Amino acid sequence: MKKARRTFGGLVAVNDVDMQIQRGSIHAIIGPNGAGKTTFFNGITGIIPVVSGSILFEGTEIQQTATHTICRLGIARTFQNIRLFPYLSVLDNVKIGTHSLYSGFVLAALLRSPKYRREEREITEFCMSLLEKIGLADKADLYARNLPYGDQRKLEIVRALASKPKMLLLDEPAAGMNNTETAGLERFIRSLKDEAYTIAIIEHDMKLVMSIADVISVLDHGEKIAEGTAGEIQNNQRVIEAYLGKQGAA
């Protein structure tokens, strides 16, 4: 991302931000509420495009690319507010995430052609393997709305993984989780890194961020005010002031 900017009327939500996320890393984006973190993700995924600057993914500019095309290129995300299909099963929610991987011709589905049946088996097996990995396989037939809040968060991550992304954007994945659930989430995110996923994470749980992030970028009022390792960020005076105010940091 180079000189990315997003405004809403007179409000500058993202202000000429430069950021590079290294392949295979866990890169955290933190900052106070209203700092522009989710708007940053929205710009990457094309939900709310930037008004100027450029966003490159594997050498290709994507700042004016349609959201579904960005997904096919290999970027998937979760949302700050859970956006599951509550009256579909856990398994069907994950299957929806595979929509960019298969042809899905309506006629083939109506006729239940051999190709359609083969793809359906492949999709089911793949999605069940993802649910197994995160510990939700035994809940595959439940309505998504009947899952505990922490499991709904996990399901959102699995649905994003179902598109087989190269880069995964997680927007506050630990929100509402207890300590045990957060510890499980940390192990899962580490396992994704071991599988060579590139992960960008927005998170307010500083213990989690400091534990897993290779690099941390800090936004405040739409501007990047710091970037570095956990140790560097913890001792950065501008970051301390952004969270506590100048008087609190003194």
Side-chain angles (χ1 to χ4, degrees), residues 182-239:
T182 300
L185 175 67
E186 179 179 344
R187 289 191 296 272
F188 183 64
I189 293 174
R190 289 186 185 279
S191 75
L192 295 178
K193 181 185 177 182
D194 292 340
E195 295 176 25
Y197 286 96
T198 301
I199 300 168
I201 178 172
I202 295 170
E203 186 52 65
H204 286 290
D205 186 329
M206 289 299 102
K207 182 180 178 181
L208 175 62
V209 168
M210 298 300 168
S211 175
I212 65 172
D214 299 304
V215 178
I216 301 171
S217 298
V218 186
L219 299 182
D220 186 34
H221 294 98
E223 297 183 355
K224 188 176 79 172
I225 62 170
E227 187 170 88
T229 64
E232 291 168 341
I233 294 301
Q234 285 174 318
N235 294 298
N236 186 292
Q237 189 63 27
R238 287 196 69 187
V239 175

Side-chain angles (χ1 to χ4, degrees), residues 13 26 28 57 62 68 77 79 92 105 109 116 162 168 180 198 200 216 224 231-232:
I26 299 176
F57 180 66
I62 61 171
H68 65 275
R77 70 169 295 181
F79 291 88
D92 284 341
F105 292 116
Y116 169 81
L168 182 63
T180 301
T198 301
I216 301 171
K224 188 176 79 172
E232 291 168 341

Side-chain angles (χ1 to χ4, degrees), residues 6-22:
R6 177 68 215 188
T7 58
F8 298 96
L11 174 66
V12 181
V14 175
N15 190 12
D16 294 339
V17 170
D18 291 330
M19 194 179 300
Q20 184 172 2
I21 299 174
Q22 295 293 333

